Amino acid sequence: MTLENNSIRSITDEVRSKWGWFVALGVLLLILGGVAFGNLFIATVATVYVVGWLMLLSGVVEIIHAFGVQTWGRFFLWLASGLLYALAGIFAFYNPVLASTVLTFLLAVSLVASGALRAWVGFDNWEQKGSGWIVTAGVITVLAGIVIAIGWPVNSLWVIGLFLAVDLIFQGWSFIAFGLALKK
């Protein structure tokens, strides 16, 4: 056996010995997903707050970076960009419901655009085996974006929370399945 194989085996054995932690994390994520499903509005607001913090921190970093730029023209561009990010983050805290409306609209637009691109790539490679799955996924993504856009702005109070809840539940089940597979 080579040193690389021993190293990989050691890492694999170490991960296998932690299978219970993966299952526990999965259970925790399932519980959090259930809580999020129980109150989609609070889950939406919590997600908006996280996005707000990330934007505020990004804005502060860009403002600090602006002072390291050597030319005045670029300094003002970085400063303006950082200020806009920071203001958007502050806005998310000031009015999370309106921020969720904006984020839901951006989500709908992003889903339509990415789904259309995915479908186009699938059609462009139609001669390739499996391209029908890419087209199908693209069409479903476009339809999801359209459904969100049709319900906008009313659905802004729960759509982002629903996405969070579904993601937490899928992550929970995947960690549980991974942990139980490691146990075997």
Side-chain angles (χ1 to χ4, degrees):
M1 276 193 148
T2 66
L3 181 61
E4 185 177 314
N5 286 342
N6 285 336
S7 176
I8 291 171
R9 183 176 298 224
S10 172
I11 292 170
T12 303
D13 290 341
E14 185 178 338
V15 170
R16 277 202 176 119
S17 71
K18 307 289 187 204
W19 71 269
W21 287 102
F22 286 102
V23 172
L25 176 60
V27 169
L28 177 64
L29 290 173
L30 276 177
I31 291 169
L32 291 174
V35 169
F37 255 126
N39 197 333
L40 295 176
F41 175 73
I42 290 177
T44 295
V45 171
T47 304
V48 168
Y49 281 150
V50 169
V51 170
W53 272 113
L54 292 173
M55 292 182 81
L56 183 60
L57 290 174
S58 297
V60 169
V61 168
E62 282 191 38
I63 291 168
I64 292 168
H65 174 70
F67 288 98
V69 175
Q70 300 299 320
T71 64
W72 281 104
R74 290 201 174 127
F75 165 78
F76 286 115
L77 288 174
W78 281 105
L79 181 65
S81 176
L83 287 172
L84 286 174
Y85 253 93
L87 287 173
I90 291 168
F91 170 74
F93 289 110
Y94 179 71
N95 194 340
V97 173
L98 186 55
S100 73
T101 303
V102 172
L103 290 174
T104 302
F105 180 74
L106 291 174
L107 175 65
V109 169
S110 297
L111 288 172
V112 169
S114 66
L117 179 63
R118 192 175 302 136
W120 177 73
V121 167
F123 278 124
D124 195 44
N125 294 292
W126 192 251
E127 66 280 352
Q128 301 296 321
K129 189 173 186 171
S131 62
W133 288 106
I134 295 172
V135 172
T136 302
V139 169
I140 290 171
T141 303
V142 167
L143 291 175
I146 289 171
V147 166
I148 291 170
I150 289 171
W152 185 81
V154 175
N155 63 3
S156 302
L157 300 176
W158 57 267
V159 165
I160 295 172
L162 178 66
F163 271 66
L164 175 66
V166 168
D167 183 59
L168 287 171
I169 288 171
F170 273 98
Q171 289 294 325
W173 280 117
S174 66
F175 274 115
I176 290 170
F178 183 69
L180 292 176
L182 286 174
K183 183 181 178 187
K184 292 182 181 182

